[in-house]
């Protein structure tokens, strides 16, 4: 199919983008990489009257570090994140997740904000940002909001973003000493969307106990979610194989997978446990080495 007709603009600055979103509220859609939006247009599952291409808008891409957090511009591509060696050193989970997204073409064009705003329940960044307890910067003509990723993903393809807002930046708290993070993704073939994905971020205290823990899961519910029961099961505990198995089982228990082309629900539930156990183990090894 071919898309329904639409108008197209390519503003050169963020102020113009925000004004257009305000004036054409509900009619305009941002266009970043186009790797999720264009298929929807072609299938006529979306028919916006206006596409606002943000490729020329300066200041929306790139990774920078402050004293408190790491800030990733919304228009940063999966490839830019994959290739950022400084980022990979502090947050190896980012390179791990980016490397498993689609193929080189998808990674060259697709952006982190596009993925987060699209909120496909099988996509990888939302679970990673939940595990990392990231914050999202949402800008409209009238205000800026900084909201937690936790609580942002409401339903399949539904988030807390307003039609007048653009996601300008993702902020990830700077991990302290003895921190580690990892993403484990199960896919049927290389380049596929996740059958199951589990993202873990962990900080060990001076006594070796788990002082901070974040676990995000993808593809095993209507929307990506934080595995709070698993987090509670191990927070404050000394890490051990038994403890990690308990947390992994809790993550599976909290999952609500459905049977589909990726596999039966019970298989996905079992894999949610296994991917979580592996991500916990990898994060622990990195935290001990940090
Ligand atoms: C073959 C294929 C394989 C893929 N495999 C994977 C995979 O394994 N894992 C995975 O996670 N993803 C995968 N994807 C999805 C891919 O990562 C997309 O690039 C991404 O989901 C959307 O990013 P985009 O920049 O292309 O956004 P677009 O398609 O341009 O936009 C998507 C949505 O986000 C909105 N949007 C875009 N930018 C912003 C912004 N800054 N603020 C607010 N709203 C915005 C748009 O209006 C639109 O509603 C795959 C896609 C394809 C086509």
């Amino acid at each position: 199919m071919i898309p329904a007709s639409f108008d197209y603009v390519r503003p050169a600055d963020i102020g113009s983008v925000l004004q257009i979103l305000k004036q054409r509220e509900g009619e305009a859609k941002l266009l970043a990489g186009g790797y999720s939006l264009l298929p929807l247009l072609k299938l006529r599952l979306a028919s916006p009257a206006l596409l606002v291409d943000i490729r020329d808008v300066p200041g929306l891409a790139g990774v920078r570090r402050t004293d408190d957090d790491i800030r990733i511009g919304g228009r940063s591509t999966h490839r830019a994140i994959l290739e950022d060696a400084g980022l990979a050193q502090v947050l190896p989970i980012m390179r791990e997740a980016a490397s498993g997204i689609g193929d080189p073409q998808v990674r060259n064009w697709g952006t982190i904000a596009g993925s987060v705003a699209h909120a496909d329940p099988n996509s990888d960044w939302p679970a990673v940002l939940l595990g990392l307890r990231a914050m999202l910067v949402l800008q409209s003509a009238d205000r800026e909001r900084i909201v937690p990723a936790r609580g942002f993903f409401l339903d399949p393809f539904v988030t807390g973003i307003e039609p007048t807002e653009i996601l300008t930046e993702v902020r990830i708290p700077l991990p302290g000493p003895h921190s580690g993070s990892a993403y484990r993704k199960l896919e049927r073939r290389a380049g596929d969307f996740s059958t199951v994905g589990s993202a873990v971020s962990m900080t060990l205290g001076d006594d070796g106990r788990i002082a901070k823990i974040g676990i995000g899961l993808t593809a095993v519910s209507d929307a990506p979610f934080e595995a709070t029961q698993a987090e509670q099961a191990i927070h404050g505990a000394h890490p051990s194989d038994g403890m990690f198995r308990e947390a992994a089982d809790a993550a599976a228990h909290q999952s609500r997978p459905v049977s589909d082309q990726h596999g039966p629900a019970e298989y996905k539930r079992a894999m949610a446990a296994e991917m979580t156990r592996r991500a916990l183990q990898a994060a622990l090894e990195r935290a001990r080495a940090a």
Side-chain angles (χ1 to χ4, degrees):
M1 273 166 73
I2 55 166
S5 67
F6 53 80
D7 292 330
Y8 171 87
V9 288
R10 198 164 150 179
D13 61 86
I14 185 79
S16 305
V17 173
L18 298 177
Q19 282 308 320
I20 294 166
L21 290 179
K22 185 173 177 175
Q23 285 157 10
R24 304 286 299 267
E25 181 173 349
E27 296 176 22
K29 272 260 170 220
L30 295 172
L31 175 67
Y35 266 72
S36 293
L37 184 56
L38 295 186
L40 290 186
L41 299 186
K42 284 185 177 173
L43 292 166
R44 300 213 177 188
L45 293 170
S47 305
L50 173 66
L51 285 192
V52 184
D53 189 336
I54 56 174
R55 83 176 71 174
D56 293 338
V57 178
L60 285 180
V63 178
R64 65 196 170 98
R65 183 175 168 160
T66 73
D67 290 342
D68 303 317
D69 51 26
I70 292 185
R71 301 183 175 189
I72 303 177
R75 222 192 55 234
S76 303
T77 61
H78 311 313
R79 176 181 171 187
I81 294 171
L82 170 65
E83 292 184 348
D84 192 310
L87 179 64
Q89 203 170 12
V90 186
L91 290 169
I93 189 171
M94 300 302 287
R95 174 170 284 177
E96 235 158 32
S99 68
I101 294 178
D103 53 28
Q105 204 174 341
V106 173
R107 295 195 288 272
N108 280 344
W109 282 91
T111 66
I112 188 164
S115 173
V116 169
H118 186 61
D120 185 322
N122 292 61
S123 66
D124 299 297
W125 287 129
V128 170
L129 299 185
L130 292 172
L132 291 168
R133 298 174 192 269
M135 303 294 289
L136 308 173
V137 182
L138 303 169
Q139 183 76 52
S140 69
D142 300 321
R143 63 174 177 169
E144 180 184 85
R145 293 195 290 150
I146 303 176
V147 302
R150 293 184 172 211
F152 183 75
F153 301 102
L154 304 174
D155 262 319
F157 308 102
V158 180
T159 70
I161 199 165
E162 304 282 343
T164 53
E165 288 176 326
I166 174 169
L167 173 52
T168 54
E169 199 169 67
V170 170
R171 294 185 182 172
I172 301 169
L174 206 55
H178 309 302
S179 294
S181 58
Y183 187 57
R184 289 295 176 267
K185 167 175 176 171
L186 177 70
E187 55 194 344
R188 289 179 66 203
R189 293 166 310 183
D192 277 359
F193 276 92
S194 286
T195 299
V196 174
S198 181
V200 169
S201 125
M202 180 189 297
T203 301
L204 300 175
D206 290 338
D207 57 2
R209 292 176 193 267
I210 298 174
K212 285 187 195 162
I213 182 75
I215 304 174
L217 288 179
T218 195
V220 281
S221 190
D222 281 351
F225 70 96
E226 53 271 27
T228 48
Q229 294 173 13
E231 290 169 355
Q232 284 157 17
I234 51 171
H235 182 243
H238 276 292
S240 68
D241 289 350
M243 215 23 113
F244 283 178
R245 270 197 297 277
E246 199 180 305
D249 288 345
H253 181 72
Q254 214 181 333
S255 302
R256 297 282 176 274
V258 290
S259 301
D260 59 15
Q261 75 275 20
H262 294 285
E266 273 320 298
Y267 168 70
K268 291 187 191 179
R269 201 187 300 277
M271 290 304 103
E274 183 56 21
M275 292 301 119
T276 300
R277 192 192 65 72
R278 291 184 192 184
L280 283 165
Q281 192 59 44
L284 174 64
E285 282 162 21
R286 289 171 178 164
R288 284 185 168 151

